[in-house]
């Protein structure tokens, strides 16, 4: 595996690979790799001839009060994992090379990114779309892979690709979960034992919502109330949002119809040693009614 921090070097390497006619698959990450990331890597490996993974903790997508500083950093282990996965190239740039001091250009999707997580984390998606645009421009991949766990993010990336005519195909891969259903996330490391136990209620609530839809419940409000009940009685988390939306555009719906997104975002007041602070977990399922 080639590892490079240099944008110039990466561009040269990509040029060489492109000349051979190979298709480039790209998986952007913030590191602290887990099976969720690895599932994207496995899929990308299967569907492309040359696989590039980036590890970059993007300061632009964290607000000043968020967890940029304490975000888990595990580069040694990550490199070993990626080597074992036979990734061709790891791009691991330094922050000041991605954002030089006079950086002043941003890419912003203005509809989808105002909803749900965008409401609670103003500027977050603008940070994501700016860095992904930069990475796409640097790498020029044929295919790029995103997790359904961050469904809103994946839709927004698809939208900027369409709106701005990027020549990349976006693939969304299923959420990988712990045995008890908790969606894998680098942020799960922040949870205390008690919170970790409670956190499984997120997926339990989602499954119950799915069951209600299968049982022909058409009223989103009733389902949201039930999710809320499950969350409140099984955890001390404070709910950021519980939402049932049209899965195509995340618009509100009055009636369950077609493909719907059911999403939960909740804060756990982590008291876990060095990682202490608020931990925001998100999860979702897509249900076809
Ligand atoms: P991150 O390192 O958190 O920026 O995530 C990098 C990519 O991995 C994103 O496309 C995420 O949606 C995806 N991802 C994170 N957690 C999971 C998971 N549990 N299952 C599948 N994909 C995931």
């Amino acid at each position: 595996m080639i590892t490079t921090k240099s944008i110039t070097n990466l561009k040269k390497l990509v040029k060489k690979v492109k000349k051979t006619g190979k298709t480039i698959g790209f998986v952007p990450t913030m590191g602290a790799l887990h099976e969720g990331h690895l599932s994207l890597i496995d899929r990308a490996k299967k569907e492309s001839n040359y696989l590039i993974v980036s590890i970059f903790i993007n300061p632009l997508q964290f607000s000043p009060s968020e967890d940029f500083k304490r975000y888990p950093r595990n580069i040694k282990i990550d490199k070993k994992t990626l080597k074992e996965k036979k990734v061709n190239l790891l791009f691991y740039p330094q922050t000041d090379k991605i954002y030089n001091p006079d950086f002043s250009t941003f890419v912003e999707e203005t509809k989808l990114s105002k909803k749900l997580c965008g409401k609670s984390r103003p500027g977050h998606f603008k940070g994501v779309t700016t860095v992904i645009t930069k990475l796409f421009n640097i790498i020029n991949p044929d295919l790029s892979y995103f997790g359904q766990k961050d469904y809103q993010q994946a839709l927004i990336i698809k939208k900027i690709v369409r709106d701005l005519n990027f020549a990349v195909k976006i693939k969304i891969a299923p959420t990988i979960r712990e045995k008890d259903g908790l969606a894998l996330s680098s942020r799960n490391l922040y949870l205390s034992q008690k919170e970790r136990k409670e956190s499984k209620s997120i997926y339990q609530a989602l499954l119950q919502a799915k069951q209600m839809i299968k049982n022909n419940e058409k009223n989103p409000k009733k389902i949201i109330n039930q999710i809320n009940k499950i969350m409140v009685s099984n955890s001390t988390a404070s709910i950021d949002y519980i939402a049932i939306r049209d899965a195509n555009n995340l618009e509100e719906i009055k009636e369950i119809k077609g493909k719907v997104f059911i999403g939960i975002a909740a804060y756990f007041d982590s008291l876990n040693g060095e990682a202490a602070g608020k931990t925001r977990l998100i999860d979702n399922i897509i249900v076809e009614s």
Side-chain angles (χ1 to χ4, degrees):
M1 181 177 79
I2 301 172
T3 299
T4 184
K5 292 187 172 191
S6 153
I7 295 174
T8 319
N9 193 24
L10 177 62
K11 281 186 164 174
K12 270 190 206 153
L13 291 165
V14 166
K15 220 176 179 178
K16 263 196 199 162
V17 175
K18 290 246 170 199
K19 266 194 188 153
T20 65
K22 287 183 176 165
T23 53
I24 296 184
F26 172 47
V27 180
T29 81
M30 297 206 296
L33 302 176
H34 51 66
E35 289 297 327
H37 298 112
L38 300 187
S39 72
L40 301 184
I41 288 169
D42 287 340
R43 168 121 183 246
K45 185 93 198 162
K46 269 191 207 139
E47 296 178 1
S48 55
N49 313 126
Y50 193 90
L51 176 55
I52 302 182
V53 174
S54 65
I55 295 182
F56 179 64
I57 306 178
N58 175 30
L60 218 59
Q61 67 191 69
F62 292 81
S63 78
S65 65
E66 290 184 334
D67 55 341
F68 176 69
K69 278 203 177 129
R70 69 175 178 142
Y71 197 85
R73 288 158 169 86
N74 251 338
I75 189 65
K76 266 195 185 159
I77 299 173
D78 286 350
K79 269 191 192 168
K80 192 167 168 271
T81 310
L82 294 175
K83 251 189 215 168
E84 282 165 9
K85 281 279 164 195
K86 300 200 165 30
V87 166
N88 298 98
L89 197 154
L90 165 63
F91 181 46
Y92 173 53
Q94 285 165 324
T95 310
D96 60 350
K97 294 292 187 301
I98 292 290
Y99 301 116
N100 42 49
D102 65 344
F103 185 85
S104 60
T105 306
F106 300 87
V107 174
E108 187 175 23
E109 190 285 331
T110 56
K111 269 191 191 159
L112 283 167
S113 61
K114 298 286 182 254
K115 303 172 194 289
L116 303 174
C117 291
K119 262 200 184 140
S120 339
R121 304 184 69 188
H124 167 67
F125 287 122
K126 184 174 164 186
V128 171
T129 44
T130 299
V131 81
I132 291 295
T133 298
K134 283 175 70 73
L135 291 168
F136 283 173
N137 280 337
I138 293 166
I139 295 169
N140 193 12
D142 298 285
L143 300 156
S144 186
Y145 294 80
F146 293 83
Q148 191 202 308
K149 169 160 165 303
D150 301 284
Y151 185 76
Q152 185 176 9
Q153 167 175 283
L155 278 194
I156 291 170
I157 303 291
K158 276 195 160 188
K159 190 69 177 25
I160 64 161
V161 163
R162 186 145 43 99
D163 287 352
L164 301 180
N165 306 94
F166 285 102
V168 58
K169 203 164 177 176
I170 303 301
K171 304 267 189 166
I172 304 181
T175 303
I176 304 298
R177 302 177 178 283
E178 299 281 5
K179 277 206 181 94
D180 66 2
L182 176 68
L184 295 188
S185 161
S186 311
R187 290 193 168 97
N188 294 350
L189 295 170
Y190 299 152
L191 299 173
S192 67
Q193 259 182 0
K194 178 173 167 281
E195 289 165 339
R196 173 61 193 82
K197 273 191 193 146
E198 292 178 2
S199 61
K200 69 175 182 217
S201 55
I202 300 175
Y203 188 54
Q204 285 172 346
L206 289 172
L207 288 182
Q208 173 106 36
K210 181 176 177 179
Q211 193 53 46
M212 288 176 81
I213 293 176
K214 297 288 166 210
N215 293 344
N216 227 17
E217 179 57 68
K218 296 283 177 210
N219 184 347
K221 277 192 188 149
K222 279 195 185 160
I223 303 171
I224 288 171
N225 282 342
Q226 182 60 19
I227 294 179
N228 192 52
K229 258 193 208 159
I230 295 171
M231 289 297 295
V232 170
S233 52
N234 293 294
S235 81
T236 50
S238 47
I239 311 266
D240 177 10
Y241 66 73
I242 298 170
I244 300 188
R245 301 284 173 99
D246 182 328
N248 296 310
N249 50 26
L250 300 180
E251 297 282 347
E252 292 189 30
I253 48 172
K254 292 209 165 72
E255 192 194 357
I256 304 290
K257 220 167 72 184
K259 217 168 92 172
V260 297
F261 161 92
I262 311 174
I264 301 177
Y267 291 99
F268 287 81
D269 264 322
S270 301
L271 301 168
N272 190 12
E274 279 179 20
K278 267 194 187 321
T279 299
R280 188 171 179 278
L281 299 184
I282 56 171
D283 199 356
N284 70 81
I285 54 172
I286 306 294
V287 179
E288 200 88 66
S289 64

